[in-house]
Amino acid sequence: NLEGKLNRQVHELSKNGKLSPTSQAIFNAMIECFKKRDTYGKANPRRINSFECDQALAEKWYAIDYGYSELIRQTPELQAHHEFHLQNRSFELQRNNAMLSNIASHIRTFPGKRILVVCGFEHRHFLRIQLNFFQAPTFSVKEYWELGNVSSSNEQPRHN
């Protein structure tokens, strides 16, 4: 896969000291963003669905957008990945926007009805931000524990 190839090549260049000091600093910052994201991904539901997690994911996406763009621009060995990087980012934005469009369609089709949206945790921050701008008289975004009949503990749900 092209994404894996880009990632392996950047790691290899970093490991072999072939990134410029500026590129190495960008790459190191990107790695820190990924580690922070991974920490939240292993957390309990309340932490995964927190403002802090949304912030970490926004930082991670910024690191990908800016970081890879800069690494590719500054590193001749990576310039062959330029078109893939642009297409990959475009795909992610299209995917999130398609999810948002589908949710908005259901809100219009079923006004006043409760609509459950389940998505991967890396899509949540985008959807939550965008849905807060959606204008509907009976519309609000709630986390699962805000629904009243769901435990608000910090424990992981138990599966029997």
Side-chain angles (χ1 to χ4, degrees):
N1 102 9
L2 295 175
E3 186 173 21
K5 184 177 178 181
L6 172 59
N7 289 333
R8 284 188 299 278
Q9 191 170 1
V10 172
H11 279 273
E12 192 67 28
L13 290 167
S14 173
K15 185 174 89 173
N16 293 330
K18 294 189 177 182
L19 292 176
S20 71
T22 303
S23 292
Q24 188 63 56
I26 291 168
F27 180 66
N28 292 344
M30 290 170 65
I31 295 297
E32 290 306 310
C33 287
F34 299 148
K35 286 179 183 177
K36 191 173 180 182
R37 181 264 333 256
D38 292 347
T39 299
Y40 280 102
K42 297 173 186 170
N44 63 49
R46 185 174 287 277
R47 217 153 128 73
I48 287 172
N49 294 302
S50 70
F51 171 80
E52 292 80 10
C53 182
D54 289 350
Q55 187 175 19
L57 291 171
E59 289 170 8
K60 177 249 179 181
W61 284 111
Y62 179 79
I64 287 175
D65 287 343
Y66 172 76
Y68 274 119
S69 294
E70 281 301 298
L71 289 175
I72 290 167
R73 188 181 67 76
Q74 294 180 18
T75 310
E77 296 90 335
L78 298 175
Q79 289 177 357
H81 297 285
H82 176 74
E83 190 62 34
F84 163 74
H85 175 64
L86 294 177
Q87 289 176 0
N88 192 44
R89 291 307 301 131
S90 176
F91 171 74
E92 288 297 328
L93 292 171
Q94 288 174 7
R95 194 164 108 181
N96 280 335
N97 283 325
M99 292 169 69
L100 183 63
S101 177
N102 288 336
I103 294 165
S105 174
H106 281 81
I107 291 168
R108 285 189 297 276
T109 303
F110 304 103
K113 299 291 184 182
R114 183 179 286 182
I115 298 170
L116 173 66
V117 176
V118 179
C119 66
F121 97 105
E122 288 207 34
H123 298 284
R124 180 195 169 275
H125 78 284
F126 172 84
L127 294 174
R128 181 140 178 111
I129 289 167
Q130 297 303 315
L131 287 171
N132 279 322
F133 291 110
F134 191 84
Q135 299 297 317
T138 60
F139 177 76
S140 66
V141 176
K142 298 211 180 281
E143 300 297 346
Y144 74 94
W145 62 81
E146 296 174 309
L147 299 177
N149 60 352
V150 180
S151 170
S152 62
S153 76
N154 285 327
E155 295 179 17
Q156 293 274 358
R158 297 190 196 281
H159 302 284
N160 296 327

